[in-house]
C-alpha cells in the first residue's frame, strides 16, 4: 500500500458533497418505493405474532436492540466524517467504501481486546456499570414513535416514562466512576451526575410545556396533535425558546462538547470511563450514541411533528428529521470549546432555570386560553 | 530492567496446538476478520516526549490526517492499542513509559519514532538518556529520522498494519505474550 497524501481541496469536497447527495437521493427513492411492496401478504404472520404476547415482546425487543446497535455503527462513522469535514480533513477513508467499515473494525477490535479490571476496583460495580448506563437508553427507545404503527409500546405516560428512565443513566456513570477506584473516574462521575441532574430541571420544564399544550403525555398522541402544524410553528413565541433550551439540556445530558466536562481529556484523562477497556468501553460508547439518537428523536417528536411529512413514508421522515438534528448537534460539538465546571452549573441554575420557568408560565397562559 | 523472554521452541508450539478435525477451516476466517479489525483500528496513546511529538501532531493534523487509517488518539492507556514513543526518553522518564505500556490492554504495539527513541540519537553519549526504548518495552516498528517526516511515520504505521495482518490471534508473531513485570514507582505514585 503506497502512501498517498490527500489535500482536501474545494473540488474534492464538492465531489464528496454531491456524491453524498446522490447516495442519499438513491436511498430515499428506494425507501419511498417500499410502501408499494405487497406487505399485506405478511398479515397472517403478524396476526400469529399478535396472538402470542411473549413472541410479540421478544420480537419487538429484538428489533429495538438491533436497531440501536446498527444505527450507532453509522452514527459514529458520521460523527468522525463530520469532524473531518469541519476541520478540513477527510476523516476515515481507507476502511471500506469512504471508511464506512471503520466503526465495524473498531467494534470487533474492542470486543477482542483484553478486559482489564483494576486490582483495587469494586469488581461487581465495575462490571455492571456499562450495562447500567446502557439499559435506560434502550428502555427509552420503547416509546419512541417512528410512525403511528412503528412504536414498540404506546405508553399513556410516555413523556413521563422517558424522564423517569433516562435519568437513570446517572446511576451507571456514578457506578463507573466509583467502581474504578481512580481519582479521575470519580471526579468525572461526580461531574456527570451533577450536570445531568441540574440540566434535567429545565429539560423537564420544556417537556412539560409541550405536554401542557398537547394535553397528553403519550408520545403518539403528541405527534398526532401536530398533524396539521408542527408545535414549533404553531406556538412559535414559546416553542422556539423551548426548543433551544431543550437542545442545550440535551447536549448537557449527552456530555457533548460544550458540556463534555465528565470526560474532559485535558483535565480528567477520560473521565468516568478512564479505567474501562475493550467491550465495556464499547458499551459506554454505544449508550452515548444511542442516547444521542434518542434525544434528537425526542426533540423531533415534541417540536417538529414527528413522522409527518409529504410524499415519503413516515418512518423515513422521522429518521430524516432526527438525522438532521443529530447533524446540528455535531455541528455544535465541533465548533464550540469546552466550558468550566462552575460556568456550566451557573449557566443552568442562573440562566436556564429562570428562563424555562418564564417560558412555562407563558405556555400555561396560552393553554388556558 | 529489560524484559528477558525465553524463545519458544518448536516442540512447545506444537504442544499448544489443539487438534480439531477441520478446525483450521473455522478458525482461519475468524482470524482474518480479527486481523482486519485490529489493523484498521489502531488507537494511539496521547503523549509526546519532545520534538518528534510535533511531527506526530502534524501527522494527525489536517494535511496528513491519521484518521484516514482509523487512527485516533485516546487519552487513557486502557483504550489504546499502539504507543508511539516520540522523542528521547530520559532515565527518569523510562519507568513511567513502562508503566503506561503495562496499563495498555493486549494486543498492544509500540512504534519507536525518531533516532532517540530507536537508539539514543544524538544523545547516545549522554548518561541521562536511555539508548532506545527497546531496552524496556518490546518495539514493533522503528521509524528513523531526526525527526521523521509525517510520511515516514505513516509508512511505519502501514508497516505495523502489515505486521498485524500477518500475526495470529492467540499468539503474537508466534511468540508467547510478553511477560509483564510491574514497576513500582515510589510509595504514593
Amino acid at each position: 500500500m503506497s502512501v498517498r497524501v490527500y489535500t482536501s481541496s474545494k473540488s474534492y469536497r464538492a465531489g464528496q458533497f454531491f456524491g453524498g447527495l446522490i447516495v442519499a437521493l438513491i436511498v430515499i427513492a428506494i425507501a419511498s418505493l417500499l410502501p408499494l411492496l405487497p406487505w399485506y401478504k405478511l398479515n397472517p404472520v403478524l396476526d400469529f405474532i399478535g396472538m402470542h404476547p411473549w413472541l410479540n415482546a421478544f420480537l419487538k425487543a429484538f428489533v429495538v436492540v438491533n436497531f440501536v446497535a446498527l444505527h450507532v455503527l453509522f452514527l459514529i462513522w458520521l460523527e468522525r466524517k463530520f469532524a473531518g469535514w469541519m476541520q478540513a480533513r477527510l476523516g476515515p477513508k481507507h476502511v471500506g467504501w469512504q471508511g464506512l467499515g471503520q466503526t465495524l473494525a473498531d467494534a470487533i477490535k474492542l470486543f477482542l481486546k483484553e478486559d482489564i479490571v483494576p486490582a483495587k476496583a469494586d469488581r461487581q460495580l465495575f462490571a455492571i456499570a456499562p450495562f447500567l448506563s446502557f439499559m435506560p437508553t434502550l428502555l427509552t427507545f420503547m416509546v419512541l414513535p417512528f410512525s403511528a404503527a412503528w412504536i414498540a409500546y404506546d405508553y399513556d405516560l410516555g413523556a413521563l416514562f422517558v424522564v423517569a428512565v433516562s435519568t437513570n443513566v446517572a446511576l451507571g456513570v456514578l457506578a463507573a466512576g466509583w467502581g474504578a477506584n481512580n481519582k479521575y473516574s470519580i471526579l468525572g462521575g461526580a461531574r456527570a451526575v451533577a450536570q445531568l441532574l441540574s440540566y434535567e430541571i429545565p429539560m423537564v420544564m420544556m417537556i412539560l410545556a409541550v405536554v401542557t399544550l398537547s394535553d397528553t403525555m403519550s408520545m403518539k398522541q403528541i405527534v398526532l396533535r401536530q398533524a396539521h402544524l408542527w408545535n414549533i410553528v404553531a406556538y412559535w413565541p414559546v416553542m422556539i425558546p423551548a426548543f433551544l433550551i431543550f437542545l442545550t439540556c440535551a447536549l448537557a445530558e449527552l456530555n457533548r462538547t460544550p458540556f463534555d466536562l465528565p470526560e474532559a481529556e485535558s483535565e480528567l484523562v477520560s473521565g468516568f470511563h478512564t479505567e474501562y477497556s475493550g467491550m465495556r468501553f464499547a458499551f459506554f460508547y454505544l449508550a452515548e450514541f444511542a442516547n444521542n439518537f434518542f434525544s434528537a428523536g425526542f426533540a423531533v417528536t415534541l417540536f417538529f411533528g414527528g413522522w409527518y411529512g409529504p410524499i415519503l413514508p413516515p418512518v423515513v421522515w422521522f429518521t430524516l428529521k432526527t438525522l438532521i438534528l443529530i447533524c446540528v448537534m455535531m455541528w455544535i460539538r465541533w465548533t464550540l470549546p469546552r466550558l468550566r465546571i462552575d460556568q456550566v452549573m451557573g449557566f443552568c441554575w442562573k440562566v436556564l432555570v429562570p428562563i424555562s420557568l418564564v417560558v412555562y408560565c407563558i405556555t400555561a397562559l396560552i393553554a388556558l386560553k | 530492567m529489560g524484559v528477558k523472554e525465553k524463545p519458544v521452541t518448536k516442540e512447545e508450539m506444537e504442544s499448544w496446538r489443539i487438534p480439531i478435525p477441520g478446525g483450521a477451516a473455522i478458525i482461519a476466517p475468524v482470524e482474518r476478520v480479527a486481523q482486519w479489525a485490529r489493523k484498521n483500528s489502531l488507537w494511539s496513546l496521547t503523549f509526546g516526549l519532545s520534538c518528534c511529538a510535533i511531527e506526530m501532531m502534524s501527522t494527525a493534523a489536517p494535511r496528513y490526517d491519521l484518521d484516514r487509517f482509523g487512527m485516533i488518539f485516546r487519552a487513557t492507556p486502557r483504550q489504546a492499542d499502539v504507543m508511539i514513543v516520540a522523542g528521547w526518553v530520559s532515565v527518569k522518564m523510562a519507568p513511567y513509559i513502562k508503566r503506561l505500556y503495562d496499563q495498555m490492554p493486549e494486543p498492544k504495539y509500540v512504534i519507536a519514532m525518531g533516532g532517540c527513541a530507536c537508539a539514543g540519537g544524538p544523545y547516545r553519549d549522554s548518561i541521562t538518556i536511555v539508548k532506545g526504548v527497546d531496552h524496556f518495552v518490546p518495539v514493533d516498528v522503528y521509524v528513523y529520522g531526526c525527526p521523521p517526516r509525517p510520511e515516514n511515520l505513516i509508512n511505519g504505521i502501514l508497516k505495523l498494519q502489515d505486521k498485524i495482518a500477518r500475526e495470529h490471534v492467540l499468539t503474537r508473531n508466534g511468540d508467547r505474550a510478553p511477560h509483564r513485570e510491574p514497576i513500582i514507582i515510589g510509595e504514593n505514585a
Side-chain angles (χ1 to χ4, degrees):
Chain A
M1 194 175 172
S2 61
V3 181
R4 286 170 293 172
V5 175
Y6 292 90
T7 50
S8 58
S9 63
K10 254 183 191 159
S11 61
Y12 182 83
R13 267 180 286 165
Q16 288 243 313
F17 178 75
F18 287 114
L21 210 62
I22 289 164
V23 170
L25 283 177
I26 291 169
V27 168
I28 288 171
I30 293 169
S32 56
L33 289 177
L34 280 180
L36 302 177
L37 291 176
W39 291 111
Y40 60 88
K41 282 185 180 165
L42 280 177
N43 281 349
V45 181
L46 292 178
D47 287 345
F48 177 77
I49 294 166
M51 273 186 289
H52 296 76
W54 281 104
L55 187 63
N56 196 354
F58 172 78
L59 278 179
K60 277 176 177 174
F62 182 80
V63 169
V64 166
V65 169
N66 278 290
F67 172 76
V68 169
L70 289 178
H71 90 264
V72 165
L73 284 185
F74 171 73
L75 274 191
I76 294 177
W77 170 82
L78 185 69
E79 169 103 44
R80 285 172 75 169
K81 213 64 184 162
F82 206 92
W85 293 332
M86 293 288 287
Q87 296 167 355
R89 292 190 286 119
L90 297 175
K93 179 122 179 58
H94 293 312
V95 191
W97 184 75
Q98 288 291 326
L100 263 173
Q102 187 56 60
T103 330
L104 192 64
D106 285 344
I108 295 172
K109 181 211 73 178
L110 281 172
F111 272 78
L112 289 172
K113 276 209 91 121
E114 188 183 357
D115 180 27
I116 294 180
V117 181
K120 285 183 181 172
D122 187 333
R123 290 188 76 93
Q124 280 137 9
L125 216 52
F126 187 84
I128 207 173
F131 309 108
L132 266 184
S133 73
F134 179 59
M135 272 312 289
T137 315
L138 202 59
L139 280 178
T140 49
F141 271 84
M142 200 174 82
V143 293
L144 195 63
F146 281 81
S147 80
W150 286 45
I151 172 166
Y153 180 54
D154 182 27
Y155 194 33
D156 283 346
L157 297 172
L160 187 67
F161 175 81
V162 169
V163 172
V165 166
S166 68
T167 320
N168 286 340
V169 173
L171 207 62
V173 170
L174 193 62
W178 180 260
N181 196 8
N182 178 322
K183 56 195 168 215
Y184 301 115
S185 292
I186 187 64
L187 273 172
R191 276 182 181 187
V193 171
Q195 192 175 305
L196 234 141
L197 295 185
S198 311
Y199 278 84
E200 195 71 23
I201 294 164
M203 191 176 184
V204 170
M205 213 84 85
M206 291 306 100
I207 296 169
L208 203 60
V210 178
V211 166
T212 315
L213 284 176
S214 21
D215 227 1
T216 173
M217 273 196 180
S218 152
M219 301 278 268
K220 198 168 154 185
Q221 292 297 326
I222 289 175
V223 181
L224 285 175
R225 301 288 154 102
Q226 305 176 52
H228 303 295
L229 210 51
W230 297 354
N231 267 343
I232 200 161
V233 184
Y235 307 101
W236 63 269
V238 281
M239 281 296 123
I240 287 175
F243 168 66
L244 292 177
I245 293 171
F246 184 90
L247 192 67
T248 315
C249 296
L251 286 175
E253 294 202 6
L254 291 168
N255 305 330
R256 287 173 82 78
T257 282
F259 307 103
D260 73 336
L261 294 140
E263 32 195 284
E265 287 191 354
S266 45
E267 305 160 32
L268 317 169
V269 181
S270 251
F272 57 86
H273 53 65
T274 301
E275 289 286 358
Y276 281 90
S277 67
M279 193 188 77
R280 298 184 200 282
F281 167 67
F283 260 91
F284 275 118
Y285 234 63
L286 197 66
E288 190 188 321
F289 278 85
N291 224 336
N292 188 358
F293 187 91
F294 177 77
S295 291
F298 196 27
V300 166
T301 307
L302 293 179
F303 302 102
F304 295 100
W307 62 77
Y308 284 113
I311 306 167
L312 296 177
V315 181
V316 176
W317 264 114
F318 183 86
T319 319
L320 213 63
K321 286 177 188 175
T322 309
L323 275 181
I324 289 169
L325 211 55
I326 288 172
C327 283
V328 171
M329 284 176 168
M330 286 175 185
W331 179 27
I332 295 171
R333 175 177 184 170
W334 294 101
T335 308
L336 296 177
R338 186 182 301 138
L339 295 172
R340 268 199 334 257
I341 184 72
D342 58 318
Q343 289 171 334
V344 168
M345 302 307 277
F347 179 65
C348 178
W349 289 104
K350 290 178 193 161
V351 181
L352 282 185
V353 170
I355 292 179
S356 64
L357 271 172
V358 171
V359 169
Y360 182 64
C361 288
I362 300 170
T363 318
L365 284 176
I366 292 174
L368 270 179
K369 210 160 58 169
Chain B
M1 202 192 272
V3 181
K4 289 278 177 282
E5 283 173 43
K6 206 175 69 179
V8 184
T9 59
K10 238 187 177 156
E11 293 78 55
E12 229 176 337
M13 275 183 72
E14 286 298 320
S15 72
W16 296 346
R17 203 165 278 169
I18 308 162
I20 309 169
I26 304 165
I27 288 169
V30 175
E31 206 171 54
R32 214 159 295 158
V33 169
Q35 286 160 351
W36 173 79
R38 277 179 186 169
K39 92 174 209 219
N40 281 320
S41 135
L42 285 171
W43 293 359
S44 172
L45 188 56
T46 318
F47 81 104
L49 294 172
S50 58
C51 28
C52 279
I54 303 294
E55 293 297 314
M56 188 175 74
M57 289 172 219
S58 160
T59 318
R63 180 151 176 92
Y64 296 96
D65 190 14
L66 275 183
D67 200 16
R68 283 187 291 140
F69 308 102
M71 206 164 170
I72 48 173
F73 285 87
R74 296 298 308 178
T76 155
R78 297 281 190 227
Q79 292 151 17
D81 305 295
V82 55
M83 187 163 95
I84 301 178
V85 186
W88 44 260
V89 182
S90 64
V91 173
K92 262 193 161 179
M93 195 68 191
Y96 294 97
I97 290 172
K98 177 78 169 78
R99 190 179 187 185
L100 281 177
Y101 178 78
D102 287 339
Q103 282 175 336
M104 280 159 60
E106 286 285 347
K108 50 192 173 182
Y109 309 94
V110 178
I111 294 176
M113 183 186 177
C116 308
C118 292
Y123 309 106
R124 200 168 166 76
D125 297 332
S126 161
I127 54 163
T128 53
I129 302 294
V130 179
K131 276 97 194 142
V133 282
D134 50 4
H135 281 91
F136 56 92
V137 291
V139 176
D140 290 281
V141 174
Y142 298 86
V143 178
Y144 271 79
C146 191
R149 282 188 61 86
E151 288 97 330
N152 204 4
L153 179 58
I154 290 175
N155 195 15
I157 289 162
L158 294 180
K159 284 277 183 293
L160 180 60
Q161 286 189 349
D162 290 348
K163 190 178 177 181
I164 295 168
R166 281 200 308 275
E167 77 175 18
H168 296 292
V169 170
L170 297 179
T171 56
R172 212 178 138 175
N173 295 333
D175 295 345
R176 139 194 315 170
H179 174 61
R180 294 206 244 152
E181 284 174 348
I183 282 199
I184 294 130
I185 308 157
E187 290 282 301
N188 300 318

